[in-house]
Amino acid sequence: MSWLLPFLKYFCRAMIVAAATATWAMVAMADEPDFAGIVDRFAAKYCYECHGGKKPKGDFDFKSLSQDLSHPANVVRWQDLLDLVRGNDMPPASRPRPSKEDLEEFTAAVDAALRREAEKASKNDRIELRRLSQTAMDNAVSDLLGVHQRLSLDLPTDTVVGGFDNLAQTTGLSMELLAALQQNSRRIAKEAIVDGPDPRATRVFGLPEIHRGGSVLRQDEVIVLSSNRNRGDCVDPTGFVAPATGLYRISVTAYQRNNQADLISAGKTWDYGKDKFGVRVAAAARKVLPPERPRQVAVMALTPQERSEKPPGSNTGGRRVGLIQVDASMGTHSTECLLNEGDSIFIHAVDTARIQRPSLGKVDGREMIVGEALYLKEIGIDGPLIDHWPPLAKEALVENLPVNSLELNGETYTGLRALLMRAFRRPVSDKLLARYESLYQDSREAGASPIDAWRIVVEGVLCSPHFLYNQPQPDENDSDSWAMASRLSFFLWNSIPDDTLLGLAATGELKDPAVIEAQVRRMLSDPRAERFAVDF
């Protein structure tokens, strides 16, 4: 857990900021300065010349900076601006410095305005519903259903304030977002309640199965050169077509480097010859990447129609579904990406195309590779990534098997009720359970098969406010163990509570600080705690 200490330091900083905000709320604000007037005078004198014209420097237009501090994003911008001025970063050293009086007046006015807004916010004791962030949605789907698909696919991006994308005021539920959620829920339900043979497989494509496009074959490696033809130089695993929509793990056994330094150290020179216009190409590359910097390899996907119109290697477009970083020495590196049924993929060396220099030159009269190139030995494809087959949701709902049962306080829950309790993170009333049972029956009466009817139920669960929103505790004076379970799991795992947390919530043991501490230690030792590091 070597990553934990630095991230906890950042967490402590956030707690200090929160404490400072609470302190501001308790300070009486008397004789407040004129925020708008002071800011306008200061900016006109020291800022507008660089940050107020048609082409403001640094893409920062001071004149367009809103003074409405009721919006969280504006508060963050003003706080950043205040930090830059206080730290003497702005105005820059090359510009006239503000007088001591002007500087004190400006910083005091901005600081007071921010404090006033903090005081207003502290007086608003309304408990706001907070929708799950998009990463939390995806993690929750994975942990609940065992299928690794993104509920957040193509959703409008959540607003980030101060580095956080899970604030109540920034995680609303618009009609656009709801429509995308319904479409994604339908796709996920189709994979969770699936019929047919197991589509999972691990496939390895060596040199005989790799289509080389415009690339070069050398012994047991495919060499992907710099490309002036968009993505004309690429490689693809011959014959691979995604058997089902889902998440796949794509790996490459490869390395990438620039051999110019080797030639220079050996006292060698090279000649790239002439370009298509007859102009001699300079031997020195316009851009040489640092040797220690990892190179990027893109995984591109093609639909069946795109593949028929423009196969890989023919300036095809495709869509980027993943990036893999490779080093200067041979190794296997991977990424996970979402593919649709029928998609094929190809591998594109991003950095070689960015350089856009010819990679074939003459050294001592012999043509050889000179410059940046990707050396690829193998492509691996694993997926779709499904933890259990048949998926647990199908066994529990369609086949009515007592799998994945939920034990809470001496009672055993199975099937739909167990699914709802895990999804909604608290006990489910008979009335709420009956709604989903009616949804299944109504679908069956409308002509849906059992498989399709249960898919509709799962779709309804993923679109439910009980799933999408973290519910506040019903009474501020009553410690809600179920809410505590959710707070712990979404903070440390960015996902729903596991059965252990739900079990402790059912018995009320999560009200005990010692139990909470023990659970935090357990959760930090779980692989899911890596999400805490990444998301934080």
Side-chain angles (χ1 to χ4, degrees):
M1 307 297 287
S2 60
W3 51 265
L4 182 58
L5 182 59
F7 280 99
L8 287 180
K9 290 180 179 178
Y10 281 108
F11 174 67
C12 291
R13 286 184 59 191
M15 295 301 100
I16 292 171
V17 172
T21 303
T23 302
W24 293 347
M26 295 185 287
V27 176
M29 301 298 172
D31 301 325
E32 295 291 354
D34 175 18
F35 173 63
I38 292 173
V39 164
D40 289 341
R41 287 196 300 273
F42 184 89
K45 193 172 182 180
Y46 299 106
C47 307
Y48 285 161
E49 184 176 349
C50 295
H51 300 288
K54 293 182 179 180
K55 294 183 177 180
K57 291 186 177 180
D59 293 328
F60 172 63
D61 185 1
F62 203 134
K63 291 183 177 180
S64 67
L65 181 59
S66 174
Q67 296 182 5
D68 177 13
L69 299 183
S70 64
H71 194 289
N74 293 337
V75 172
V76 172
R77 295 187 186 101
W78 277 103
Q79 184 63 61
D80 289 343
L81 176 62
L82 183 61
D83 292 341
L84 288 171
V85 174
R86 278 176 168 166
N88 294 324
D89 294 311
M90 285 293 163
S94 59
R95 307 299 302 171
R97 299 295 303 162
S99 66
K100 180 180 179 182
E101 294 76 15
D102 287 348
L103 187 62
E104 290 179 349
E105 182 184 48
F106 173 78
T107 56
V110 176
D111 187 64
L114 292 172
R115 292 189 181 199
R116 280 199 303 272
E117 196 57 42
E119 182 186 23
K120 292 178 185 177
S122 69
K123 291 180 179 178
N124 179 13
D125 56 3
R126 177 173 58 90
I127 299 176
E128 295 186 80
L129 287 174
R130 182 163 59 188
R131 177 176 57 76
L132 303 186
S133 69
Q134 294 190 11
T135 52
M137 288 182 191
D138 297 340
N139 293 337
V141 166
S142 176
D143 293 343
L144 176 67
L145 300 175
V147 295
H148 304 281
Q149 288 215 42
R150 291 174 53 205
L151 184 57
S152 66
L153 182 67
D154 296 330
L155 295 189
T157 303
D158 287 335
T159 302
V160 177
V161 176
F164 295 93
D165 63 355
N166 59 353
L167 303 181
Q169 62 266 40
T170 62
T171 52
L173 192 61
S174 64
M175 292 302 296
E176 179 186 7
L177 186 142
L178 183 58
L181 275 174
Q182 289 176 324
Q183 181 176 348
N184 291 342
S185 298
R186 189 172 299 116
R187 170 177 50 80
I188 292 170
K190 185 177 180 182
E191 182 178 335
I193 310 293
V194 69
D195 202 10
D198 187 349
R200 299 175 298 175
T202 297
R203 310 159 186 86
V204 178
F205 297 84
L207 288 188
E209 299 89 21
I210 294 178
H211 176 259
R212 294 185 293 277
S215 303
V216 176
L217 176 64
R218 185 184 70 179
Q219 296 178 352
D220 60 345
E221 296 172 346
V222 176
I223 304 175
V224 184
L225 306 177
S226 301
S227 172
N228 288 318
R229 305 194 312 274
N230 191 15
R231 300 188 185 105
D233 292 341
C234 61
V235 294
D236 62 283
T238 304
F240 170 75
V241 175
T245 298
L247 198 67
Y248 290 75
R249 184 177 296 109
I250 312 296
S251 63
V252 295
T253 301
Y255 68 95
Q256 184 171 321
R257 59 190 302 273
N258 190 318
N259 67 343
Q260 289 180 343
D262 299 337
L263 293 173
I264 293 173
S265 63
K268 301 291 186 180
T269 60
W270 60 89
D271 180 12
Y272 284 130
K274 298 180 180 180
D275 62 19
K276 62 181 180 180
F277 301 107
V279 178
R280 182 165 294 279
V281 179
R286 289 180 296 180
K287 179 180 179 182
V288 177
L289 301 177
E292 69 278 2
R293 201 200 85 171
R295 271 54 167 170
Q296 291 184 320
V297 176
V299 180
M300 310 296 297
L302 291 171
T303 66
Q305 181 178 352
E306 290 173 329
R307 186 170 61 248
S308 64
E309 293 175 351
K310 289 186 175 182
S314 60
N315 268 338
T316 187
R319 69 184 191 280
R320 178 178 293 179
V321 293
L323 277 175
I324 302 175
Q325 288 192 339
V326 299
D327 302 322
S329 57
M330 182 70 77
T332 301
H333 310 272
S334 65
T335 187
E336 293 180 356
C337 52
L338 179 66
L339 299 178
N340 296 320
E341 183 177 352
D343 279 351
S344 57
I345 66 167
F346 65 92
I347 304 297
H348 166 52
V350 175
D351 291 305
T352 59
R354 283 178 180 161
I355 294 173
Q356 293 205 343
R357 299 290 295 181
S359 292
L360 288 176
K362 286 188 176 181
V363 179
D364 295 336
R366 180 171 62 90
E367 188 175 71
M368 63 176 293
I369 295 170
V370 179
E372 189 79 27
L374 171 69
Y375 301 82
L376 177 72
K377 187 173 184 179
E378 202 170 76
I379 299 175
I381 304 176
D382 186 19
L385 301 178
I386 303 172
D387 295 336
H388 183 277
W389 191 266
L392 291 174
K394 182 192 177 186
E395 289 188 330
L397 299 177
V398 180
E399 301 176 12
N400 199 26
L401 297 177
V403 297
N404 211 20
S405 60
L406 179 61
E407 304 284 341
L408 296 181
N409 201 17
E411 294 190 50
T412 302
Y413 302 94
T414 60
L416 180 58
R417 187 184 285 273
L419 176 70
L420 294 177
M421 293 179 71
R422 288 191 176 99
F424 300 161
R425 287 92 74 183
R426 58 181 59 243
V428 175
S429 66
D430 293 339
K431 183 178 179 180
L432 184 57
L433 175 64
R435 291 180 188 173
Y436 286 91
E437 290 174 338
S438 296
L439 181 59
Y440 173 81
Q441 293 298 335
D442 292 344
S443 301
R444 291 286 288 129
E445 292 173 5
S449 67
I451 286 282
D452 289 335
W454 281 120
R455 286 172 176 168
I456 293 171
V457 171
V458 172
E459 179 184 342
V461 171
L462 298 183
C463 289
S464 169
H466 297 287
F467 175 76
L468 294 173
Y469 283 85
N470 272 324
Q471 304 170 51
Q473 58 192 51
D475 185 347
E476 291 183 1
N477 299 318
D478 177 30
S479 177
D480 184 356
S481 293
W482 302 101
M484 176 58 72
S486 288
R487 290 191 189 101
L488 286 172
S489 65
F490 280 104
F491 176 54
L492 295 177
W493 290 344
N494 201 13
S495 184
I496 58 177
D498 65 355
D499 290 359
T500 299
L501 285 174
L502 293 178
L504 293 170
T507 60
E509 293 177 77
L510 275 185
K511 298 178 182 180
D512 185 344
V515 173
I516 293 175
E517 179 180 351
Q519 288 306 301
V520 169
R521 293 181 182 278
R522 175 184 72 87
M523 296 171 71
L524 286 175
S525 66
D526 189 282
R528 283 170 287 188
E530 291 295 330
R531 300 169 180 170
F532 167 75
V534 173
D535 295 333
F536 203 85

